[in-house]
Amino acid sequence: MQYYQIIQSETGPVIHSPLKGKPILTIPQLNKGTAFTIEERKQLGLLGKLPPCVETLEAQKKRAYVQYCDYSQPMHKNIFLNVLHNTNEILFYGLVKQHFKEMMPIVYTPVVGDSVIDFNKAFRQTRGLYVCYEDRDCLDEIFRNATNTDVKLIVVTDGSGVLGIGDQGVGGMGIPIAKLVLYTAIGGVSPYNTLPVMIDVGTDNPDLLKDPLYLGWRHPRIDDVKYREFIEKIIDCVMRIYPDVFVHWEDFSSRHASTILKHYQNKICTFNDDIQGTGVVTLAAIWSALKKKSQTLGEQRFLIFGAGAAGCGIADHLYFSMLQLGYNPKEVRECFWLIDRQGLLFEDDPILHEAQRRFARPSHERPGYDRYDLETVIRKVKPTVLIGSSAVKGAFTEQILKELAGLVDRPLILPLSNPISRAEATPQLIMEATDGSAFVATGSPFPSFNFGDELVITGQCNNAYAFPGIGLGVVAVNARRISDQMLLAASRAISQCVEENIYSKWLITPIPEMAVLVAKRVAYAVAEVAIEQGLAQATNESVVDRVDRVYWEPKYYPIIYQP
Ligand code: NAD
């Protein structure tokens, strides 16, 4: 059943819907609540079903904000916003965009992590599609049941590697929903063109399997062979129904994340945010810091602590970007040291996965180290850039940070792990331990603090500054693939935004107030490269005009009953 269709009329978009009465009020894409005009109320069978006052979106936002402020707990605010999202989508986006800085941590990190953990208890209304392994023979039916039919962007998860909190089973759905909120609120991708998808292949989280409230398939995760076949079936079905769709993979465990990306990246328009989005935003932060230090990428020694999806993704993006900038592959390879649970990674380690092996040190270097732990490696390597992507709280201890500051002039320290409770170090500890010499950016937002007589605001090195603009650029020009060059252009655009707009000596990332500007600049850059590389069709319209024209803002479209 098609619930609505958007028609481009001379006066702008108009919604045609075959629905009347109560059903209209239950579909968040259609429901305007008190903002339905008298004319609409008459023709849509809504007369008498709403209080008589016809309100504007502005008036509705004021009331919604008062209601939001009634909640004091972040989790309750998150639930309130989720309910609003599932009741009236335009009002939700109007509100979130107006109070973006205040609401971003509520709808996205850090509170979304708690909402995923609480998913089974807090569940109220449904959103998106749940594709359960048990329904593997009904995939067409499932995808044709989506309320949005003109889908251009899917964010999909299997809930196996959520933020820093691991296997969350079906509760992982909170993350694609949150990512799509940012795609729309920051990236201006129309919510009528998006779809969150949860692939439910079971869970290996024992707490969930015995939780009586668990809402997912109560079954251990299926084996790798069945898993790959299921993903293939899903992608076949998706591409048949939405041939031009952009597929964003989210929070897949490192067991599958890079294999899936490698398998599909030259077949469909696709992107893994944990791997590529994190790489894009991290390179941008590094570039911004290097500008302040008047140094180049080639002079750096990168130490990455936590060689999972994000850690290896960052290394990959740095590596490919440096090659494109003309560096020699052998020399670039020499700039990386990766540490995982077993310590520094060496090529002769049989348990390395492919992504780790690319950056493992040659085995002949083994004897050069007494031990392979973080402290020893820092002492030996003297890294200029230290990245935390391990989800190990406090791994960058005061002692380690002090030692690093003594070895390297103005080190760049990026504890990227989320949520806050998993960060490798707090910005305050880093500033104190390095005597204010370090450049810092964190994955999650941290409160500002006093350092000496200065107030320090730490920037967020979060893929939220990358993926919304990448999605906008891709959708605007209908790109067929995402190339390394497009991602490099995204990093450069973010870094340039920081350079042009931020004059604080501490900040090396954008700030939330710049999120829309950054998204648009990233979109222009990504779309431009896609066209240059023949991955999207050029038109007479400039890329900037095209991106600006498709950028979606929340406003009510007229609704016409059309049986
Ligand atoms: P992942 O599970 O794929 O990777 C984590 C890696 O850390 C694994 O390889 C694991 O073995 C390793 N590790 C665990 N304990 C360790 C220890 N004691 N010493 C060394 N290594 C250890 O997860 P991921 O998707 O790569 O995410 C990792 C963290 O990065 C999470 O907290 C996530 O929230 C964060 N992250 C942040 C951003 C951002 O934009 N800031 C983006 C993606 C991921």
Side-chain angles (χ1 to χ4, degrees), residues 29-51:
Q29 289 91 332
L30 300 177
N31 184 23
K32 302 182 185 181
T34 52
F36 278 110
T37 63
I38 298 297
E39 190 44 48
E40 283 173 332
R41 294 178 193 207
K42 282 182 184 161
Q43 51 140 342
L44 295 170
L46 296 174
L47 220 51
K49 292 182 92 57
L50 293 158

Side-chain angles (χ1 to χ4, degrees), residues 426-438 440 449 451 456 506:
T426 65
Q428 188 158 2
L429 176 69
I430 296 174
M431 293 304 274
E432 284 165 4
T434 63
D435 219 4
S437 73
V440 187
F449 58 92
F451 180 69
V456 180
W506 311 109

